[in-house]
């Protein structure tokens, strides 16, 4: 009995397989171990045996230890990183390539593709040559071109006056922001546009208008109005605006390069009181991280504006809600056509599902840094002091966002200009423009309508309006700092 008490639960010693004398020696050694050590050994033995039995049961059931280890949840940091990469890649594809079913408007309704390709490719008229397309600001993605085509272009062996070359570029999906569709015979059947049409440029690394993409950069060369005026069928637009086709063409061709009138389909106000176009400059789509309102007149945030443009400007298929547009006095056309209540069935909606990734990608696009040597560094350092003190710029353009954190909008009276464009927005104000990357969008002027031709003109305006008393050297230094941000 004493022997059983000491050995009960003891682990099986597989080395004790000899005669009875060897077994006795093993048991004698165990008797001499302290009780605490023997107890621990007993527990370990029981756990080991249970583990072996459990492992055997799992193996019989077809489950291995490797399987259970693989099912261990990943650290949530890794989940976040994977999701970030997924959103970025998807958002980039959406920004560059998703038409949101805008073919229904630009292709099926306006038949723009027919004017672009010409009668030789199922369209009408002579078609648009690459030379003409580049002249109205369309861009070509050089990375979409095969090596043989690049060599031919470099050697001057490609006819840039032939619309057939435009068709070839479209078929290669090399025209930034434009998606044309062709049938088996090579005839164009429709055309849609993407975000990149207006909000991407190229670096001209191959030739003027041909190069690597610069996503987020406003295409200030793009003459949207002139391009749209080429549409063979503008009757849908004329009917919508309650006017005639000739008037529509007059309005479209009044916009000029780098401008678009996003409010036209809301209020029908094509011209300012002074007779100039009501169109506004295409804004950058970079440097928006941390920025709330990101259009000139502050309609809404990044995802709001993506939904607004996708549904109301690109005329895609999706859902959009904004009851502010029900105000028939401010937005007569939007109220008439219920633009604040656009609905599509889940099977038809090709916009909503892309909004999260599209926003993520846009927020990931940084404002471009100015090239080395493009500004006077010493003057910029002095200008920074002026910016943060005497000129009072940092009061609204708060570094490092260079706009206000929060609701970044002001009434026209705060900035000393008229309220025409502000009153076309539900906010009745003007957004504090983020200043990062200012150097990269000087073409077309400054403010929403380009009324100030240069940065110096903007500085002079505020100096006068706010009675800052800046000296000539302070103004010049401030300009250099603004171009360095």
């Amino acid at each position: 009995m004493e022997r059983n008490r000491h050995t009960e639960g003891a682990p099986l010693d597989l080395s004790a397989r000899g005669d009875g004398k060897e077994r006795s020696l093993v048991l004698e050694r165990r008797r001499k171990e302290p009780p605490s050590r023997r107890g621990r050994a007993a527990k370990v033995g029981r756990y080991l045996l249970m583990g072996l039995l459990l492992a055997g049961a799992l193996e019989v059931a077809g489950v291995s230890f490797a399987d259970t280890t693989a099912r261990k949840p990943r650290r949530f940091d890794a989940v976040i990183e994977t999701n970030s990469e997924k959103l970025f890649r998807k958002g980039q594809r959406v920004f560059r390539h998703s038409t949101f079913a805008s073919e229904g408007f630009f292709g099926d309704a306006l038949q723009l593709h027919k004017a672009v390709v010409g009668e030789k490719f199922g369209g009408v008229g002579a078609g648009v040559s690459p030379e003409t397309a580049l002249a109205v600001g369309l861009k070509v993605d050089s990375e979409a071109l095969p090596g043989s085509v690049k060599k031919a272009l470099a050697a001057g062996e490609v006819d840039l006056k032939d619309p057939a070359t435009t068709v070839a570029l479209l078929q290669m999906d090399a025209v930034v922001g434009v998606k044309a569709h062709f049938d088996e015979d090579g005839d164009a059947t429709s055309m849609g546009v993407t975000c990149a049409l207006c909000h991407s440029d190229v670096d001209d690394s191959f030739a003027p208008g041909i190069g690597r993409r610069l996503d987020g950069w406003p295409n200030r060369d793009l003459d949207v109005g002139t391009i749209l005026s080429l549409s063979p069928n503008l009757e849908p637009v004329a009917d919508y605006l309650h006017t005639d086709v000739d008037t529509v063409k007059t309005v479209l061709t009044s916009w000029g390069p780098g401008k678009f009138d996003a409010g036209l389909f809301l209020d029908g106000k094509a011209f300012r009181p002074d007779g100039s176009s009501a169109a506004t400059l295409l804004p950058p789509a970079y440097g928006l991280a941390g920025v709330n309102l990101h259009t000139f007149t502050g309609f809404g945030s990044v995802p709001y504006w993506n939904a607004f443009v996708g549904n109301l400007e690109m005329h895609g298929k999706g859902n959009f809600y904004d009851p502010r547009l029900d105000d028939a006095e401010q937005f007569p056309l939007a109220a008439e056509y219920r633009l604040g209540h656009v609905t599509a069935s889940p099977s038809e909606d090709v916009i909503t599902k892309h909004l999260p990734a599209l926003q993520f990608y846009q927020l990931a696009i940084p404002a471009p840094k100015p090239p080395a040597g493009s500004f006077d560094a010493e003057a910029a350092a002095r200008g920074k002091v002026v910016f943060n003190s005497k000129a009072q710029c940092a009061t609204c353009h708060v570094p490092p966002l260079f706009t206000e954190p929060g609701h970044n909008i002001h009434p026209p009276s705060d900035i000393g200009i008229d309220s025409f464009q502000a009153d076309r927005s539900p906010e009745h104000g003007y957004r504090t423009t983020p200043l990062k990357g200012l150097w990269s969008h000087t073409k077309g002027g400054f403010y929403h309508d380009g009324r100030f031709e240069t940065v110096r003109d903007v500085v002079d305006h505020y100096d006068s309006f706010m009675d800052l008393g800046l000296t000539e050297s302070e103004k010049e230094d401030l300009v250099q700092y603004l171009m360095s941000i």
Side-chain angles (χ1 to χ4, degrees):
M1 293 296 292
E2 183 68 16
R3 174 183 175 183
N4 290 341
R5 182 173 65 82
H6 287 304
T7 59
E8 182 181 1
L12 181 63
D13 192 337
L14 298 180
S15 67
R17 294 183 179 179
D19 55 21
K21 184 177 180 180
E22 290 175 339
R23 292 177 185 272
S24 298
L25 291 174
V26 171
L27 294 175
E28 184 63 27
R29 285 197 299 271
R30 288 179 178 170
R31 289 192 189 100
K32 293 180 180 179
E33 292 175 352
S36 59
R37 183 181 298 176
R38 293 201 301 273
R40 288 197 298 270
K43 289 183 180 180
V44 171
R46 284 197 296 271
Y47 293 152
L48 177 60
L49 181 59
M50 291 174 61
L52 291 172
L53 292 173
L54 177 60
L58 290 173
E59 291 290 350
V60 171
V63 180
S64 68
F65 280 120
D67 293 328
T68 57
T69 301
R71 292 176 185 175
K72 183 180 179 180
R74 293 183 299 162
R75 293 174 60 246
F76 199 62
D77 285 355
V79 175
I80 295 172
E81 291 169 4
T82 300
N83 188 56
S84 298
E85 178 69 18
K86 180 180 178 181
L87 282 173
F88 179 87
R89 295 302 175 194
K90 179 181 178 181
Q92 186 180 68
R93 291 194 300 272
V94 172
F95 185 89
R96 294 180 176 183
H97 302 294
S98 292
T99 64
F100 299 142
S102 60
E103 289 88 347
F105 179 72
F106 295 101
D108 301 344
L110 302 189
Q111 300 176 21
L112 181 58
H113 61 289
K114 292 186 176 182
V116 173
V117 302
E119 60 183 357
K120 289 184 179 180
F121 297 92
V124 296
V128 176
S129 70
E131 188 175 73
T132 300
L134 291 171
V136 294
L138 289 171
K139 306 294 182 176
V140 175
D141 178 7
S142 62
E143 295 184 316
L145 300 175
S148 58
V149 174
K150 291 182 182 179
K151 290 181 180 179
L153 278 169
E157 298 171 355
V158 176
D159 188 357
L160 297 180
K161 297 181 182 294
D162 187 352
T165 304
T166 301
V167 172
L169 291 171
L170 288 168
Q171 291 174 334
M172 286 183 271
D173 197 20
V175 181
V176 176
V178 179
K179 297 287 182 179
H181 304 279
F182 298 85
D183 60 21
E184 295 179 354
D185 297 324
D187 290 339
T189 58
S190 191
M191 178 179 287
V193 300
T194 76
C195 303
L197 176 66
C198 296
H199 300 289
S200 284
D201 205 337
V202 296
D203 63 5
D204 298 337
S205 56
F206 190 84
I210 306 175
R212 294 181 292 266
R213 290 175 181 260
L214 298 172
D215 284 352
W217 294 45
N219 187 350
R220 294 286 174 84
D221 297 317
L222 186 68
D223 197 335
V224 181
T226 294
I227 294 171
L228 290 177
S229 71
L230 301 177
S231 302
N233 182 29
L234 287 171
E235 287 290 348
V237 179
D239 291 344
Y240 180 97
L241 295 174
H242 306 303
T243 188
D244 55 75
V245 170
D246 288 339
T247 300
V248 170
K249 289 185 177 181
T250 299
V251 171
L252 293 175
T253 54
S254 73
W255 292 356
K259 290 186 176 182
F260 178 77
D261 189 357
L264 181 62
F265 280 1
L266 306 183
D267 59 18
K269 296 179 179 179
F271 296 96
R272 293 171 47 84
D274 62 5
S276 60
S277 173
T280 59
L281 289 167
L282 296 171
Y286 57 57
L288 297 176
V291 178
N292 179 25
L293 303 175
H294 82 102
T295 59
F296 291 118
T297 54
F299 262 79
S301 63
V302 173
Y304 171 92
W305 196 250
N306 287 338
F308 178 100
V309 172
N311 284 280
L312 306 188
E313 305 301 330
M314 294 171 65
H315 304 276
K317 292 183 179 180
N319 285 268
F320 178 74
Y321 177 71
D322 187 350
R324 298 178 300 175
L325 302 186
D326 294 339
D327 185 341
E329 183 176 351
Q330 186 179 12
F331 306 112
L333 293 175
E336 177 184 352
Y337 294 107
R338 300 278 293 168
L339 297 188
H341 306 272
V342 177
T343 58
S345 67
S347 61
E348 294 177 327
D349 187 347
V350 294
I351 297 177
T352 306
K353 63 183 179 181
H354 292 313
L355 294 177
L358 180 58
Q359 177 192 14
F360 190 90
Y361 179 63
Q362 287 171 303
L363 295 183
I365 305 175
K369 295 182 179 179
S374 64
F375 61 92
D376 184 330
E378 292 183 359
R382 295 192 299 268
K384 181 178 181 179
V385 176
V386 178
F387 182 94
N388 290 322
S389 56
K390 186 175 180 179
Q392 302 178 37
C393 307
T395 303
C396 298
H397 299 277
V398 183
L401 287 180
F402 292 98
T403 186
E404 287 110 340
H407 198 60
N408 52 324
I409 199 161
H410 289 265
S413 58
D414 280 3
I415 56 178
I417 64 171
D418 64 88
S419 67
F420 172 77
Q421 202 65 234
D423 289 338
R424 301 180 78 192
S425 162
E427 294 289 336
H428 294 277
Y430 293 109
R431 177 204 62 163
T432 302
T433 300
L435 299 179
K436 281 187 177 180
L438 190 68
W439 68 272
S440 67
H441 56 92
T442 59
K443 184 180 292 185
F446 297 91
Y447 276 42
H448 57 280
D449 52 8
R451 65 180 60 198
F452 297 116
E453 185 176 353
T454 67
V455 176
R456 174 58 189 266
D457 292 335
V458 177
V459 171
D460 286 340
H461 165 73
Y462 277 113
D463 179 53
S464 174
F465 173 66
M466 300 179 68
D467 195 21
L468 299 173
L470 298 176
T471 66
E472 186 67 20
S473 61
E474 287 173 333
K475 291 179 181 180
E476 289 300 319
D477 290 345
L478 183 54
V479 168
Q480 291 302 307
Y481 175 63
L482 291 170
M483 297 303 286
S484 74
I485 299 176

